[in-house]
Amino acid sequence: MHKLTQKEVLKGLDQKNLDFYLLKTVNSTNTFAKDTNLNKKYLIVLSEEQTAGKGRWGNTWYSPDCGNIYMSIKFKDNTNQAPLSLLIGLLISEAMDEISGNKIHAGLKWPNDLLIENKKVCGILIESEKVSDEIELIVGIGINYALPQKESWWGDIGKFKKILPREKLINAILKKIISYKENGYPDWKAQWEKRCMHKNAEIKIISNNQKEEITGIFKGINKEGSMILQTSDGLKIINSGECSIKGIY
Ligand code: BTN
């Protein structure tokens, strides 16, 4: 297996603005990034393996050393732009298209899952912390190329390895995130909706505590990234929660 190198991953990036760690193993790249001071504009942490990878809702993110992507990027939250969790998924799917020459059609599932052939291939975990008077954000990205053990809803992009080499994908994702931070992305909402795989589809929303279920038609998102759901009681704006979509996983 081709191991990641700093030269490939950071190709074309302005390195004076970033601190970079390429690790063989770590508990979690998010935890490592949290515990490391932000001395430059960006802190980037990559590892070949995580022994305590974290998923959303306190889940574990299975992270064996088999050529997957485990990456965290830390920066100051000094913008009031698009909702980051949706935007990161959009940027990753755009990076996949760019590297593969539009051969991969990754769909976005609200708020920030990336699915290929109806299986989840990427997870995003955004954490924040207050340092002095400022908020620092840690964007954790996990992308599966291979998974020795699989849940039925987990997918991987192993079969696209040749057209989507992971060092190139990482490089493109970093460039897109940094470019977004520097220049913004005015058209993000329309672009997110274009890639959303359940626009105008009937979906079922399950609340975090599993107590409430709502069914409706997903009409899109507002500028805060909340979903607009057409239900039998009228339009509802839903700004958090897990959305589980019938017939997907
Ligand atoms: C999810 O549950 O969908 C989010 C998974 C996020 C996994 C990534 S892997 C790199 C970073 N470090 C972690 O511990 N988690 C994130």
Side-chain angles (χ1 to χ4, degrees), residues 150-162:
K150 262 187 213 165
E151 300 286 345
S152 60
W153 45 272
W154 277 353
D156 66 59
I157 51 174
K159 69 174 179 195
F160 301 120
K161 212 157 43 190
K162 281 218 171 72

Side-chain angles (χ1 to χ4, degrees), residues 26-29 31 49-55 59-63:
V26 70
N27 50 4
S28 146
T29 55
T31 306
E49 176 193 59
Q50 298 184 116
T51 53
K54 297 186 286 185
N59 291 332
T60 300
W61 186 255
Y62 180 50
S63 312

Side-chain angles (χ1 to χ4, degrees), residues 15-185:
Q15 293 192 35
K16 70 174 183 324
N17 280 336
L18 49 96
D19 276 328
F20 179 72
Y21 293 85
L22 178 54
L23 311 170
K24 205 177 153 348
T25 187
V26 70
N27 50 4
S28 146
T29 55
N30 266 33
T31 306
F32 186 96
K34 249 189 193 175
D35 294 344
T36 308
N37 283 343
L38 183 64
N39 295 323
K40 295 192 181 157
K41 252 180 154 175
Y42 302 98
L43 170 74
I44 298 164
V45 186
L46 269 162
S47 184
E48 292 287 358
E49 176 193 59
Q50 298 184 116
T51 53
K54 297 186 286 185
R56 283 184 294 154
W57 320 121
N59 291 332
T60 300
W61 186 255
Y62 180 50
S63 312
D65 178 1
C66 59
N68 295 330
I69 296 176
Y70 313 116
M71 167 161 81
S72 299
I73 305 138
K74 172 157 129 170
F75 44 76
K76 280 191 183 136
D77 180 23
N78 47 11
T79 52
N80 251 333
Q81 301 173 4
L84 199 60
S85 79
L86 277 80
L87 202 104
I88 297 294
L90 170 63
L91 296 178
I92 295 172
S93 81
E94 288 181 347
M96 286 182 172
D97 279 354
E98 193 176 292
I99 300 302
S100 70
N102 288 316
K103 291 203 179 69
I104 296 185
H105 302 288
L108 297 172
K109 171 177 170 268
W110 185 87
N112 62 8
D113 279 342
L114 231 98
L115 308 191
I116 294 178
E117 291 160 8
N118 289 350
K119 304 246 182 202
K120 174 167 169 168
V121 297
C122 167
I124 299 163
L125 175 69
I126 300 178
E127 299 184 272
S128 66
E129 56 176 1
K130 202 164 177 219
V131 179
S132 305
D133 269 343
E134 289 183 298
I135 303 289
E136 293 181 353
L137 298 175
I138 296 129
V139 176
I141 298 169
I143 301 177
N144 293 326
Y145 276 80
L147 280 173
Q149 298 162 13
K150 262 187 213 165
E151 300 286 345
S152 60
W153 45 272
W154 277 353
D156 66 59
I157 51 174
K159 69 174 179 195
F160 301 120
K161 212 157 43 190
K162 281 218 171 72
I163 56 169
L164 197 61
R166 74 175 169 147
E167 59 286 355
K168 288 206 171 142
L169 180 58
I170 293 169
N171 181 262
I173 293 171
L174 287 173
K175 282 183 178 153
K176 284 189 177 289
I177 293 178
I178 291 173
S179 158
Y180 162 69
K181 282 292 296 167
E182 307 290 322
N183 311 310
Y185 189 161

